[in-house]
Amino acid sequence: MHQLVFATNNEHKLRELSEILKGEFKLLSLNDISCSDDIPETGNTLEANASQKSFYIWDRYRMDCFSDDTGLEVAALNNEPGVRSARYAGEGRKANDNIDKVLAGLKDKEDRKACFRCVISLIIKGKEYLFEGRVDGQILPERHGSSGFGYDPVFLPDGFTQSFAEMDAETKNSISHRGRAVQKLVRFLHNEYPHLPDQ
Ligand code: IMP
């Protein structure tokens, strides 16, 4: 079976993708390849960070691999927090602090448009393929719901009446940025992988 490194140790992400790709690909985590490095993420864009992580693995291990990077982009905040989504309120601060900072930034703004973007960088035999998943919506004036994580309580996806934190996981995954990026990756792996030329 083909082996693919997923450059993460996030159990939730690994389990979800292993399930989708089972029978075709054996997914290996960073732990599985004994990589305990703190892989740098110093890019200014989601694409740059995802690429940086994938090439870090390719350059050292020469194994087919992929990695992801995600951010919330708020139009009236010049697309911030973007690549800084995890630490928008500062290093070591919690998701709630990040939400407070976004709400404070939008206090007097009418435009509350935002999107989540997830970029996946896949490297097969040294060649990179990028996949993007995106969901558009609005930042709510206050929190709604308690499921999910991160900015979910204040994100209302277009066409829905519930925030991400009010949805069940299945509904969220079917429309989310990550769900959509993963669908593109999986479709590519199913259809293209056996036909990709050697480098
Ligand atoms: P990561 O690249 O998947 O680690 O995501 C970076 C940051 O984006 C997370 O720490 C969260 O703050 C935010 N984020 C990513 N995905 C979601 C989501 O589905 N809902 C809410 N926040 C998210």
Side-chain angles (χ1 to χ4, degrees):
M1 208 184 328
H2 304 296
Q3 290 197 334
L4 258 186
V5 178
F6 186 4
T8 184
N9 281 320
N10 180 317
E11 285 301 328
H12 174 80
K13 291 182 184 177
L14 278 165
R15 203 169 334 113
E16 187 180 281
L17 272 201
S18 298
E19 190 58 31
I20 299 175
L21 296 171
K22 74 169 179 252
E24 273 180 286
F25 293 90
K26 180 170 168 44
L27 276 199
L28 303 174
S29 67
L30 292 173
N31 282 337
D32 291 332
I33 60 168
S34 302
C35 175
S36 53
D37 304 356
D38 194 8
I39 302 179
E41 286 183 63
T42 54
N44 290 324
T45 61
L46 300 173
E47 285 79 0
N49 277 342
S51 273
Q52 192 176 23
K53 286 185 273 186
S54 289
F55 275 108
Y56 187 94
I57 298 302
W58 172 259
D59 289 343
R60 283 160 187 76
Y61 297 86
R62 286 290 187 266
M63 296 176 80
D64 292 344
C65 60
F66 65 93
S67 55
D68 68 338
D69 202 38
T70 297
L72 174 72
E73 298 178 346
V74 182
L77 301 179
N78 297 321
N79 287 336
E80 293 232 311
V83 281
R84 295 167 55 224
S85 292
R87 48 187 188 284
Y88 191 39
E91 218 53 69
R93 304 292 292 275
K94 299 259 160 54
N96 257 330
D97 303 318
N98 292 333
I99 291 179
D100 283 341
K101 185 164 179 186
V102 167
L103 293 182
L106 289 179
K107 199 158 156 276
D108 302 317
K109 306 260 199 292
E110 255 178 44
D111 177 6
R112 305 189 69 92
K113 281 198 289 293
C115 74
F116 276 113
R117 279 204 313 128
C118 172
V119 174
I120 294 177
S121 157
L122 168 73
I123 297 181
I124 304 282
K125 297 166 188 150
K127 182 166 167 27
E128 184 182 37
Y129 304 85
L130 289 173
F131 306 91
E132 184 196 355
R134 173 188 176 120
V135 57
D136 289 283
Q138 304 277 331
I139 300 298
L140 293 163
E142 68 243 352
R143 294 164 172 82
H144 290 264
S146 54
S147 311
F149 70 104
Y151 300 88
D152 279 351
V154 291
F155 187 78
L156 177 69
D158 287 347
F160 289 80
T161 55
Q162 290 183 311
S163 77
F164 264 178
E166 293 176 300
M167 291 179 171
D168 56 68
E170 203 183 326
T171 310
K172 179 187 164 187
N173 289 339
S174 70
I175 58 162
S176 81
H177 46 301
R178 196 168 15 260
R180 286 174 172 161
V182 164
Q183 283 163 22
K184 288 184 186 174
L185 170 74
V186 169
R187 212 173 305 137
F188 179 88
L189 288 173
H190 282 322
N191 296 335
E192 305 287 339
Y193 191 91
H195 314 296
L196 293 175
D198 285 337
Q199 258 211 118

